[in-house]
């Protein structure tokens, strides 16, 4: 009997392994202090928690994948062998402004010591809402408003920059993974991106031409995940009101010193209104590698196939009759957009020396665009390429730390643009055909110096060039085809900024910057065939002062600014309802932007781990200083399309079990919809919430289920109105109360 028992034990050891005591030590990556309260999930065992020394001891019999989490750090997981002792450095999640690092104005510094109005939209903020667009997350930031005239039809307003944008994104420069995502003609196809193509975002509010070129509104920099830290497969499925379906599948694979990731997303919706369906497919392939200690290389391929219907704007009477109806004629003429876009990008970083490095990003893009509209039918085939390069030099001159940045950006685009008649949604007789060439380029340089440990000065300067060629090949009207061109004289754009560091957690900043924004080619060449070569570039000067600080659980960010804009480009409609553009005097834009957030409760080991509250206020008191249009004087009127007061309140609750709650309230003051200030959209309040549960199974499986409601109060409002609308068609109704939900699954392998 004793012999048989001994034999059984000896036989079992190779099958089940020998238990060996294993030890993990968790330290803060920045301070190397022990992290107390890290929760480890180990298959077959109760959760383990790190002690005062950041250590956890536990027995293992075989190699096991272990996941760990802490509310103040990024969650992760590793493969651990029996008997192993390992130190793990946890990456803090930003809790204070001193911990939030931004790269605005090409200078990587803590936000609290940045000289400029910069907002950061983190990945977790994107997933507080319905995951069908980026709109909701960006609209929680002061000074920023993304409008949606119809599903997939976006318009961005940063400090009132959408005044000249009847549709599309203009007067704002957009980057994606370091490449200029804004086309050479000055427009941005933001709607081709899915939420999953973006990890983090930074927004510079106000002119940033000293280092980013043309655009008075500001700069948005999107970044997708560049590094593959683990082998991971994921799949998501979301549903919602009005026939919303969104499916995503993705994979990350480590390869040597880098990795490859791929994702595919298909989103469809029938839409809230008649004739407002959307069908979008997006594929992204990313490769990153590190050829040496001094180099990193990454490449991206992005393909987007987008189709969406355009219901059109309604009059007040039509709105009262049936807010879900399409504009008369939209259905019959199949008013819609079909757009196929392919991007290829290549980014390279090279460290020549510990003081000198270079970053270069190149891209090529092709687009097929088709747009039947009530008045006409457009077809465009476009090709563009470009890039951006910068050299960074850091040194200490005497006792003064300095940083010098110098580089350039170039974009070239060629488009075959044809305009036809529209007969029941089918292209009819050609009206005109143009070969369009656009080129933009600028050189930039920036000098930073720390005069004292508390005073940082930045001076930047760019030299900008722009040219349009419009070669009319066919003109069915009374005019003969003719080649047109417009070159804008090189323009110097300076910026001077100062930061005074009150403490490591607080600082004052002030800046004076110049802005420059030439008309886009869509503003020079309009839909009815006219070419307005007399349209001038907007010029402006921005004065700004602000304060940022962290006091215990409280973060404060305050900015006041005054922007004086000359040669303001505004819109008007002719007798046929075609939107045209004009320079209309000057605007005075005074504003206050404030953000205040605090953590009411935080305890890693309690049932409720964290309760956070955030308030964001925007006060934009913009007026026409000098503005006369078609015999009318609108000087002193409120700037069209801008809400004077906006308030956002956020509540986020996280629990130890993985249940979370996100609650959002937004107040938007009344908005003038015409230059005469005779028509306004009423003020409204929006309430929304998302409830979900996240968990990890067996250390390898991630699971999340969520559901939410938007417009809980069932408010009647428009998220993107038509300005100075023909025949009083101002209103683009947004959905009433609606719901959404989804499920996510991930596997580490």
């Amino acid at each position: 009997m004793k012999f048989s028992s001994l034999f059984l034990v000896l036989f079992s050891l190779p099958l089940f392994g020998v238990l060996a005591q294993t030890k993990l030590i968790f330290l803060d990556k920045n301070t190397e202090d022990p992290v107390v309260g890290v929760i480890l999930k180990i298959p077959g065992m109760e959760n383990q928690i790190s002690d005062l020394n950041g250590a956890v001891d536990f027995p293992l019999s075989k190699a096991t994948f272990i996941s760990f989490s802490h509310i103040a750090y990024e969650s992760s997981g590793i493969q651990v062998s029996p008997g192993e002792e390992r130190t793990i450095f946890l990456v803090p999640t930003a809790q204070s402004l001193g911990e939030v690092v931004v790269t605005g104005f090409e200078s990587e510094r803590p936000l609290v010591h940045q000289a400029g109005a910069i907002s950061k939209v983190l990945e977790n903020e994107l997933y507080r809402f319905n995951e069908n667009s980026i709109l909701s997350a960006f609209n929680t930031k002061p000074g920023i408003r993304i409008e949606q005239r119809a599903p997939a039809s976006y318009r961005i307003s940063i400090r009132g920059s959408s005044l000249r944008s009847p549709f599309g994104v203009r007067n704002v420069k957009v980057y994606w993974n370091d490449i200029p995502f804004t086309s050479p003609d000055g427009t941005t196809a933001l709607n081709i991106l899915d939420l999953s193509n973006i990890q983090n975002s930074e927004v510079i509010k106000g002119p940033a031409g000293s280092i980013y070129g043309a655009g008075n509104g500001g700069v948005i920099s999107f970044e997708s995940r560049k590094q593959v830290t683990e082998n991971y497969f994921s799949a998501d499925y979301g549903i919602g009101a009005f026939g919303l379906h969104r499916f995503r599948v993705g994979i990350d694979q480590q390869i040597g010193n880098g990795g490859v990731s791929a994702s595919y997303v298909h989103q469809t919706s029938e839409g809230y209104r008649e004739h407002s369906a959307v069908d979008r497919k997006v594929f992204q392939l990313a490769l990153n590698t590190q050829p040496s200690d001094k180099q990193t290389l990454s490449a991206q391929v992005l393909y987007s196939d987008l189709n969406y219907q355009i219901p059109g704007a309604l009059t007040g009477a039509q709105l009262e009759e049936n807010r879900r109806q399409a504009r008369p004629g939209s259905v019959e003429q199949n008013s819609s957009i079909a757009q196929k876009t392919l991007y290829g990008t290549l980014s390279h970083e090279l460290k020549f020396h510990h003081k000198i490095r270079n970053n270069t990003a190149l891209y090529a893009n092709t687009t097929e665009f088709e747009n039947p509209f009530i008045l006409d039918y457009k077809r465009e085939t476009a090709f563009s390429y470009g890039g951006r390069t910068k050299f960074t030099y850091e040194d200490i001159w005497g006792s003064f730390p300095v940083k010098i940045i110098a580089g350039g950006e170039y974009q070239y685009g060629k488009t075959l643009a044809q305009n036809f008649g529209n007969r029941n949604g089918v292209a009819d007789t050609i009206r005109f055909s143009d070969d369009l060439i656009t080129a933009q380029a600028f050189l930039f340089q920036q000098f930073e110096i720390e005069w004292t440990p508390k005073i940082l000065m930045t001076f930047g300067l760019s030299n900008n060039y722009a040219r349009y060629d419009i070669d009319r090949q066919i003109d069915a009207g009374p005019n003969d085809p003719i080649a047109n061109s417009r070159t804008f004289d090189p323009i110097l754009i300076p910026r001077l900024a100062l930061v005074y560091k009150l403490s490591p957690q607080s600082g004052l900043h002030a800046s004076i910057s110049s802005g420059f924004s030439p008309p886009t080619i869509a503003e020079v060449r309009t839909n009815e065939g006219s070419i307005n070569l007399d349209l001038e570039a907007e010029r402006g000067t921005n004065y700004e002062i602000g304060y940022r600080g962290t006091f215990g659980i409280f973060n404060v960010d305050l900015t006041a600014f005054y922007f004086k804009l000359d040669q303001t480009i505004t819109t008007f409609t002719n007798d046929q309802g075609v939107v045209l553009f004009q320079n209309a005097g000057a605007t005075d834009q005074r504003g206050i932007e404030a953000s205040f957030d605090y953590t009411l409760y935080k305890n890693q080991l309690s049932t409720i781990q964290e309760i956070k509250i955030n308030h964001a206020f925007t006060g934009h008191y913009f007026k026409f200083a000098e503005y006369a249009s078609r015999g009318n004087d609108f000087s002193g009127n409120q700037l069209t399309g801008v809400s004077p007061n906006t308030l956002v309140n956020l509540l986020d609750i996280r629990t130890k079990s993985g249940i979370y709650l996100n609650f959002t309230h937004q107040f938007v003051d009344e908005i003038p919809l015409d230059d005469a200030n005779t028509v306004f959209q009423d003020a409204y309040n929006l309430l929304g919430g998302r409830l979900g549960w996240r968990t990890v199974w067996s250390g390898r499986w991630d699971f999340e289920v969520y559901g939410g409601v938007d417009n809980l109060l069932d408010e009647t409002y428009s998220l993107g109105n038509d300005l100075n609308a023909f025949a009083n068609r101002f209103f683009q109704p947004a959905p009433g109360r609606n719901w959404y939900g989804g499920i996510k699954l991930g596997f580490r392998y």
Side-chain angles (χ1 to χ4, degrees):
M1 186 67 178
K2 291 182 179 179
F3 176 80
S4 61
S5 298
L6 178 62
F7 177 81
L8 182 61
V9 171
L10 293 175
F11 181 75
S12 301
L13 288 177
L15 293 178
F16 299 101
V18 178
L19 288 174
Q21 201 66 12
T22 307
K23 185 175 184 178
L24 299 180
I25 301 173
F26 295 92
L27 303 179
D28 186 294
K29 184 178 180 180
N30 296 335
T31 65
E32 298 190 3
D33 293 332
V35 180
V36 182
V38 179
I39 299 176
L40 279 72
K41 293 187 177 182
I42 307 171
M45 297 176 58
E46 292 184 357
N47 290 348
Q48 303 292 306
I49 299 173
S50 62
D51 59 21
L52 294 175
N53 297 315
V56 184
D57 291 280
F58 52 92
L60 277 184
S61 62
K62 61 180 180 179
T64 303
F65 191 90
I66 296 173
S67 62
F68 43 85
S69 62
H70 192 288
I71 56 174
Y73 296 87
E74 294 181 5
S75 299
S76 188
I78 58 170
Q79 187 87 2
V80 179
S81 300
E84 183 177 0
E85 181 172 327
R86 187 188 300 190
T87 299
I88 300 170
F89 293 94
L90 298 180
V91 178
T93 55
Q95 301 293 320
S96 70
L97 296 180
E99 296 172 335
V100 178
V101 176
V102 296
T103 57
F105 296 101
E106 299 288 10
S107 180
E108 187 172 294
R109 296 180 183 276
L111 178 60
V112 73
H113 294 148
Q114 279 279 6
I118 302 173
S119 290
K120 189 159 187 172
V121 183
L122 302 173
E123 184 176 22
N124 66 297
E125 295 177 297
L126 294 173
Y127 294 95
R128 293 183 75 259
F129 308 93
N130 192 344
E131 299 180 14
N132 61 341
S133 80
I134 66 171
L135 183 147
S136 297
F138 276 74
N139 286 351
T140 65
K141 303 299 178 180
I144 305 167
R145 178 177 169 86
I146 297 184
E147 300 178 337
Q148 184 172 264
R149 300 168 64 247
S153 178
Y154 298 132
R155 187 168 60 193
I156 296 179
S157 177
I158 302 178
R159 294 183 174 176
S161 62
S162 67
L163 177 65
R164 56 189 268 198
S165 301
F167 52 86
V169 179
R170 307 177 190 176
N171 205 19
V172 172
K173 190 71 173 287
V174 178
Y175 290 83
W176 181 66
N177 291 330
D178 303 322
I179 67 158
F181 199 68
T182 296
S183 300
D185 64 6
T187 62
T188 305
L190 185 63
N191 50 9
I192 71 172
L193 291 175
D194 180 76
L195 192 70
S196 62
N197 303 127
I198 301 167
Q199 181 186 12
N200 289 306
S201 308
E202 289 183 16
V203 183
I204 299 176
K205 292 171 282 187
S210 64
I211 204 161
Y212 292 112
N216 285 320
V219 175
I220 299 178
S221 178
F222 295 119
E223 181 181 280
S224 62
R225 195 177 304 278
K226 292 184 177 180
Q227 294 184 339
V228 177
T229 58
E230 59 184 355
N231 297 334
Y232 193 72
F233 173 82
S234 59
D236 312 345
Y237 179 65
I239 58 175
F242 319 119
L244 172 65
H245 294 272
R246 179 180 178 273
F247 170 74
R248 175 191 174 275
V249 61
I251 188 168
D252 296 337
Q253 176 67 53
Q254 290 181 315
I255 302 175
N257 292 328
V260 61
S261 62
S263 67
Y264 172 78
V265 185
H266 187 192
Q267 178 174 315
T268 61
S269 172
E270 297 172 5
Y272 167 68
R273 297 176 60 194
E274 178 188 18
H275 198 70
S276 61
V278 177
D279 188 333
R280 180 176 61 197
K281 307 176 187 72
V282 184
F283 172 76
Q284 181 184 356
L285 177 67
L287 171 70
N288 69 84
T289 186
Q290 190 172 349
S292 69
D293 293 338
K294 296 183 178 181
Q295 295 186 75
T296 59
L297 183 68
S298 63
Q300 305 262 353
V301 174
L302 178 75
Y303 176 74
S304 178
D305 185 352
L306 172 64
N307 291 269
Y308 66 95
Q309 296 172 329
I310 302 174
L314 303 177
T315 65
Q318 292 168 336
L319 193 69
E320 290 294 326
E321 177 190 2
N322 178 11
R323 59 183 293 103
R324 301 186 66 169
Q325 68 176 305
R327 171 186 170 181
S330 292
V331 176
E332 294 78 7
Q333 295 289 75
N334 187 30
S335 184
S336 59
I337 285 179
Q339 182 173 344
K340 295 181 180 180
T341 305
L342 177 65
Y343 267 94
T345 77
L346 182 67
S347 301
H348 181 250
E349 180 180 11
L350 175 61
K351 297 178 181 177
F352 297 99
H353 184 267
H354 70 277
K355 296 181 181 179
I356 304 174
R357 67 181 184 274
N358 172 261
N359 297 82
T360 298
L362 305 173
Y363 81 91
N365 158 250
T366 63
T367 298
E368 293 180 2
F369 179 88
E370 194 156 348
N371 175 206
F373 188 58
I374 290 179
L375 302 178
D376 58 5
Y377 196 117
K378 292 193 293 186
R379 284 181 182 153
E380 296 180 0
T381 303
F383 170 75
S384 67
Y385 62 85
R388 179 181 177 89
T389 186
K390 67 171 182 177
F391 291 87
T392 304
Y393 170 79
E394 296 183 74
D395 201 357
I396 297 178
W397 293 353
S399 59
F400 305 117
V402 299
K403 179 187 288 187
I404 298 174
I405 301 171
E409 184 174 307
Y410 176 78
Q411 290 182 272
Y412 172 90
K414 186 172 183 178
T415 303
L416 170 61
Q418 298 175 306
N419 190 293
F420 302 84
N422 184 354
R423 179 170 295 185
N424 298 323
V426 178
D428 195 14
T429 307
I430 192 167
R431 294 177 176 177
F432 53 91
S433 176
D434 296 328
D435 286 337
L436 310 176
I437 293 178
T438 55
Q440 292 201 34
F442 62 93
L443 299 174
F444 61 88
Q445 45 274 317
Q446 183 168 281
F447 176 72
E448 297 181 14
I449 183 168
E450 294 188 38
W451 291 112
T452 73
K454 289 184 175 292
I455 299 177
L456 169 68
M457 185 190 79
T458 302
F459 177 73
L461 182 69
S462 71
N463 191 10
N464 295 258
Y465 164 87
R467 177 184 173 89
Y468 302 141
D469 290 325
I470 305 173
D471 187 0
R472 179 143 295 176
Q473 301 292 312
I474 300 173
D475 194 330
N479 302 316
D480 293 328
I482 188 173
N484 300 273
S485 66
R486 175 70 190 277
T487 300
F488 294 88
D489 294 333
I491 297 178
L492 293 175
I493 305 295
R495 177 178 180 267
L496 178 65
L498 291 171
V499 173
Y500 182 75
K501 303 176 184 178
L502 297 171
S503 72
Q505 296 295 326
S506 64
L508 295 168
H509 64 90
S511 64
I512 302 175
S513 56
S514 180
F516 156 77
S517 181
T520 67
I521 204 165
E523 293 164 341
V524 173
R525 171 191 174 272
T526 52
N527 285 346
E528 97 291 10
S530 64
I531 298 175
N532 184 5
L533 297 178
D534 295 327
L535 205 58
E536 296 290 340
E538 294 181 326
R539 293 294 305 270
T541 304
N542 187 64
Y543 305 88
E544 194 166 280
I545 187 169
Y547 168 80
R548 296 187 181 98
T550 297
F551 305 93
I553 65 172
F554 299 99
N555 291 317
V556 180
D557 191 339
L558 303 172
T559 301
F561 66 92
Y562 170 60
F563 183 42
K564 174 70 172 179
L565 183 64
D566 294 316
Q567 295 293 346
T568 306
I569 296 176
T570 62
T571 65
F572 68 97
T573 54
N574 64 11
D575 295 337
Q576 289 74 45
V578 178
V579 177
L580 303 176
F581 301 85
Q582 62 184 352
N583 292 108
T587 61
D588 285 335
Q589 303 180 22
R590 294 175 171 85
I592 299 171
E593 296 162 354
S595 179
F596 181 56
D597 67 81
Y598 47 97
T599 305
L600 280 181
Y601 179 79
K602 187 175 183 178
N603 187 333
Q604 167 76 355
L605 303 180
S606 66
T607 301
I608 296 179
Q609 292 182 323
E610 186 177 49
I611 302 175
K612 292 184 65 176
I613 293 178
N614 179 278
H615 310 287
F617 173 75
T618 302
H620 283 172
Y621 311 114
F622 300 169
K623 294 185 179 297
F624 291 110
E626 302 172 11
Y627 179 24
S629 174
R630 308 179 80 180
N632 299 305
D633 187 359
F634 300 128
S635 302
N637 283 7
Q638 190 176 336
L639 199 65
T640 316
V642 178
S643 170
N645 299 291
T646 302
L647 177 66
V648 177
N649 301 295
L650 309 177
L651 170 66
D652 297 321
I653 300 175
R654 293 173 57 183
T655 70
K656 188 176 179 180
S657 65
I659 296 174
Y660 64 87
L661 172 66
N662 307 127
F663 182 80
T664 305
H665 163 254
Q666 183 180 37
F667 166 77
V668 178
D669 208 347
E670 63 178 12
I671 301 173
L673 304 183
D674 64 342
D675 296 339
N677 289 182
T678 58
V679 181
F680 286 79
Q681 176 180 270
D682 294 336
Y684 60 87
N685 287 274
L686 296 179
L687 292 180
R690 170 166 163 163
L691 177 67
W693 176 56
R694 299 186 185 102
T695 190
V696 179
W697 295 331
S698 303
R700 291 183 179 275
W701 292 92
D702 292 335
F703 177 79
E704 179 180 356
V705 60
Y706 65 90
V709 179
D710 283 332
N711 194 4
L712 194 59
L713 300 178
D714 202 24
E715 284 269 43
T716 298
Y717 74 106
S718 292
L719 195 53
N721 301 283
D722 283 14
L723 308 181
N724 295 313
F726 178 73
N728 295 319
R729 289 190 292 263
F730 292 100
F731 305 102
Q732 300 268 8
R737 185 184 300 112
N738 63 95
W739 62 274
Y740 60 89
I743 187 171
K744 300 182 179 182
L745 190 65
F747 175 68
R748 298 176 181 86
Y749 61 94

